[in-house]
């Protein structure tokens, strides 16, 4: 599985931690930036990850900024992206099961490294349930 990663300066250090974690688990990582803690604009990276997922250059994406809010909004502007902002493993599980989210978002200034990695693992290891949720997801895809 290929995972696209993107962040702004606020999420840079956590992105590196997530990238190393994913690579150790055998995931292929498409790192779309940013490349340092220098101030950058989060919409660039949210959009880049969203476009990579929709364009099938990655199977799913993870976006990180200070709170996760701005970069999730930016990713969700890409048609076909369903980015879920998750601050715990329950949210990560449910955004996959119920919303078929294809991009995970979280905030580096809100959660720590250990919790972030648990959220990532939960998101990547949870399948969409379909069923009654399929009708609802199809309503938001247009």
């Amino acid at each position: 599985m290929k995972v696209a990663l993107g962040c702004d300066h606020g999420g840079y250090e956590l992105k590196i931690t997530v990238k190393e974690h994913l690579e150790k688990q055998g995931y292929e990582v498409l790192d779309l930036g940013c490349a340092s803690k220098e101030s950058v604009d989060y919409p660039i990276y949210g959009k880049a990850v969203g476009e990579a997922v929709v364009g099938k250059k990655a199977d799913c994406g993870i976006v990180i900024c200070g709170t996760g809010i701005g970069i999730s909004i930016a990713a969700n502007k890409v048609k076909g992206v369903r980015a879920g902002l998750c601050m715990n493993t329950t949210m990560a599980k449910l955004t996959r099961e119920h919303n078929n989210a294809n991009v995970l978002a979280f905030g580096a200034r809100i959660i720590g490294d250990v919790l972030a990695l648990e959220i990532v693992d939960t998101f990547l290891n949870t399948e969409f349930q379909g069923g009654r949720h399929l009708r609802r997801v199809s309503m938001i895809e247009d």
Side-chain angles (χ1 to χ4, degrees), residues 52-133:
V53 172
V54 172
K56 304 214 182 295
K57 293 177 184 165
D59 299 296
C60 64
I62 300 172
V63 293
I64 310 165
C65 68
T67 63
I69 297 168
I71 204 161
S72 67
I73 292 169
N76 275 318
K77 297 293 268 179
V78 178
K79 186 172 176 60
V81 168
R82 292 175 306 283
L85 175 59
C86 300
M87 298 303 164
N88 58 54
T89 57
T90 300
M91 293 174 78
K93 182 175 186 279
L94 294 175
T95 199
R96 286 290 302 128
E97 286 182 346
H98 294 192
N99 309 116
N100 199 19
N102 52 12
V103 175
L104 169 64
F106 48 79
R109 294 180 184 139
I110 307 299
I111 61 173
D113 291 5
V114 172
L115 179 55
L117 298 180
E118 290 173 357
I119 291 169
V120 166
D121 290 344
T122 300
F123 182 85
L124 294 175
N125 292 304
T126 303
E127 295 292 325
F128 178 51
Q129 286 184 342
R132 72 182 192 273
H133 304 294

Side-chain angles (χ1 to χ4, degrees), residues 2-22:
K2 188 180 232 180
V3 180
L5 283 180
C7 69
D8 72 355
H9 54 282
Y12 175 72
E13 288 181 359
L14 185 53
K15 181 195 75 167
I16 297 303
T17 299
V18 169
K19 181 178 180 178
E20 291 171 356
H21 177 75
L22 292 172

Side-chain angles (χ1 to χ4, degrees), residues 40-58:
V40 295
D41 299 319
Y42 64 81
I44 294 167
Y45 303 98
K47 180 180 180 184
V49 169
E51 289 176 344
V53 172
V54 172
K56 304 214 182 295
K57 293 177 184 165

Side-chain angles (χ1 to χ4, degrees), residues 19-34:
K19 181 178 180 178
E20 291 171 356
H21 177 75
L22 292 172
E23 290 174 338
K24 283 180 188 172
Q25 292 187 355
Y27 290 97
E28 187 178 350
V29 176
L30 176 61
D31 187 341
L32 297 171
C34 70

